[in-house]
Amino acid sequence: MPWSRRSAARSCLLLSEAELDRLAERAAGSGAVAGTDDDPHVFHLALLAPAATTWDIRVLTPLWRAGERYVRIGFGRTGPGPAGHRRDGAAHSELLAAFRTRDPATVSAAVERDLARTEKIALAALT
C-alpha cells in the first residue's frame, strides 16, 4: 500500500468527529475543490494531518505543487462551475464518509478512488 494511503488509513483512527464535521461544513459551504480555501490541498492535508509526519508533508507538498497546474487545467476542462463543484463536493463527501467509518481498509480504497479520479482529470488536460 502506498504511503499516502497508509497515512490516511492511520489518520481515520485519529481524526475527531468535530474535525470531520468542520471539514464537511467547509466543503459544503462553498462547493469549491478545497472547501473555502484557495489552496486545493488544504482539505486533503486536513484529512491526513493527524497521522502525517513532518517528512510526509515535506514530500507531499512539492508533489502536489508539481501536479497542480495539470489538475487545474483538467478540472477546468471537465466542468468548471456548479456542475464541477457538485462533482468535487461528491468526491469530498465520499472521502469524509470513508473516514467516518474508522475502517482503514475503507479509507484506503476511498483514497485510491480519489487519486485515480484526479489522475484521470489531470491526464485529460494533457490530451
Side-chain angles (χ1 to χ4, degrees), residues 72-115:
R72 285 187 185 271
I73 292 168
F75 274 95
R77 287 186 179 170
T78 59
H85 291 309
R86 281 190 301 274
R87 176 200 59 220
D88 300 338
H92 285 173
S93 292
E94 180 185 343
L95 283 171
L96 287 166
F99 272 78
R100 287 185 193 279
T101 69
R102 307 295 184 185
D103 177 43
T106 299
V107 169
S108 180
V111 168
E112 184 65 28
R113 284 189 302 277
D114 190 60
L115 290 170

Side-chain angles (χ1 to χ4, degrees), residues 37-63:
D37 300 292
D38 291 331
D39 186 337
H41 312 297
V42 170
F43 175 83
H44 296 277
L45 186 56
L47 287 175
L48 298 177
T53 66
T54 302
W55 184 252
D56 292 333
I57 294 167
R58 287 181 63 190
V59 170
L60 275 174
T61 300
L63 289 173

